Amino acid sequence: RVLAAEVGDPERDVAEREVYEFETTYSVGTFENKKAAIKTKLDELTRKVTELEISRVELQARLKELKPYDNVKDLFGLGARDLLDDAILRSLQQQFVDLANQKLDLSQTYGERHPKLASLQPRLDLLEKTLRSQIRARIKSVKRELNQVESTLASLTASLEEVRLEETRINGIWLQYEPLLAKRTAANKFYDTVRHRQTETSLSAQVETKTCVCRTWRSVPPCRYGRDRS
């Protein structure tokens, strides 16, 4: 491996290439943005689905409360919340109750043949018909709202499942990516360690060579420039 480090480490090159190819194939550079976008979408869809599920339960309860009034005989007691909250229905019911009580008083006071009773009955019949029509319209409105909520809920639930599958896919790719990063990090670390040791060895060899040269130079006898006068 020391010799390989001098010309380029093959294992390091392989690790770099594997990471590069993986990043190119799966666009890993965009993963952080994708993961953030997925989290935001998951949070938003989960919130909406939860709200719709609550709405569905409430609408189902309202519809259950309203159903008995679809063909109710006694229009005097309209106890359903939706009916009580409807100003038009309350007004119609009050008119119907007042007129019915008026008819009852007249019949008890003057008998069934009183002329006013004949004029009251058509008005009562019309009020009853209108009141029943309004009740059915209210029931249909709640049914329609429930159908819309259930349809939207089904669509959002499907979208939520798709986003969860995408999150699973991204996480799966990331699990494959992490070992490649670890492999590249280990290869780079080994390469750097070898290069560092090689540099230290080279510097040590240079110092040793210089020391040998100095010793050799000192061992050479000095030159004599004058003649021997003896």
Side-chain angles (χ1 to χ4, degrees):
R1 290 295 295 272
V2 175
L3 182 59
E6 295 176 2
V7 294
D9 190 344
E11 289 189 20
R12 177 170 172 264
D13 293 341
V14 168
E16 288 285 358
R17 185 172 65 254
E18 287 177 346
V19 169
Y20 173 77
E21 290 175 352
F22 193 91
E23 290 177 343
T24 303
T25 301
Y26 294 103
S27 301
V28 174
T30 63
F31 265 35
E32 291 302 323
N33 292 335
K34 283 182 179 179
K35 288 166 74 174
I38 286 174
K39 184 181 183 306
T40 300
K41 201 165 186 178
L42 278 176
D43 291 343
E44 182 182 359
L45 285 171
T46 301
R47 176 181 59 80
K48 288 182 177 180
V49 165
T50 301
E51 290 174 353
L52 285 171
E53 286 176 340
I54 293 172
S55 296
R56 180 177 62 178
V57 171
E58 291 175 348
L59 286 166
Q60 287 172 339
R62 287 168 61 188
L63 189 59
K64 183 179 180 181
E65 187 182 30
L66 280 170
K67 274 186 175 180
Y69 294 94
D70 193 1
N71 292 304
V72 68
K73 293 180 179 180
D74 181 13
L75 293 175
F76 285 86
L78 302 179
R81 185 187 65 182
D82 274 83
L83 304 181
L84 295 173
D85 290 345
D86 191 314
I88 296 175
L89 277 171
R90 285 204 314 271
S91 176
L92 287 170
Q93 185 196 25
Q94 189 60 51
Q95 293 177 52
F96 178 81
V97 170
D98 291 344
L99 205 59
N101 287 333
Q102 188 179 345
K103 178 186 175 183
L104 181 62
D105 291 342
L106 285 172
S107 65
Q108 289 176 348
T109 303
Y110 302 106
E112 295 293 336
R113 295 180 180 276
H114 193 279
K116 283 188 177 181
L117 290 176
S119 64
L120 286 177
Q121 192 57 49
R123 292 168 60 191
L124 269 172
D125 292 342
L126 179 60
L127 275 171
E128 181 179 352
K129 181 180 179 182
T130 306
L131 189 54
R132 291 187 184 282
S133 176
Q134 286 293 323
I135 291 173
R136 291 191 181 100
R138 189 66 176 171
I139 293 173
K140 285 182 180 178
S141 174
V142 175
K143 282 182 178 179
R144 184 167 54 250
E145 190 176 352
L146 177 58
N147 289 336
Q148 290 175 348
V149 166
E150 287 179 337
S151 176
T152 306
L153 182 59
S155 176
L156 288 180
T157 301
S159 298
L160 182 59
E161 185 61 27
E162 289 177 3
V163 175
R164 283 173 176 165
L165 287 174
E166 177 65 11
E167 181 185 41
T168 301
R169 188 185 73 84
I170 292 293
N171 289 338
I173 293 174
W174 194 263
L175 287 175
Q176 298 176 56
Y177 181 54
E178 286 181 330
L180 296 178
L181 291 178
K183 180 180 177 181
R184 183 180 67 177
T185 300
N188 285 333
K189 185 177 181 180
F190 182 83
Y191 176 82
D192 292 340
T193 300
V194 170
R195 293 290 293 177
H196 180 69
R197 289 178 179 174
Q198 182 188 29
T199 301
E200 288 181 339
T201 302
S202 176
L203 290 174
S204 177
Q206 291 177 18
V207 170
E208 185 176 347
T209 300
K210 186 175 181 181
T211 302
C212 290
V213 169
C214 289
R215 287 175 179 172
T216 303
W217 179 77
R218 288 174 182 173
S219 64
V220 174
C223 296
R224 296 183 178 181
Y225 295 97
R227 290 183 177 180
D228 190 356
R229 293 181 181 180
S230 59

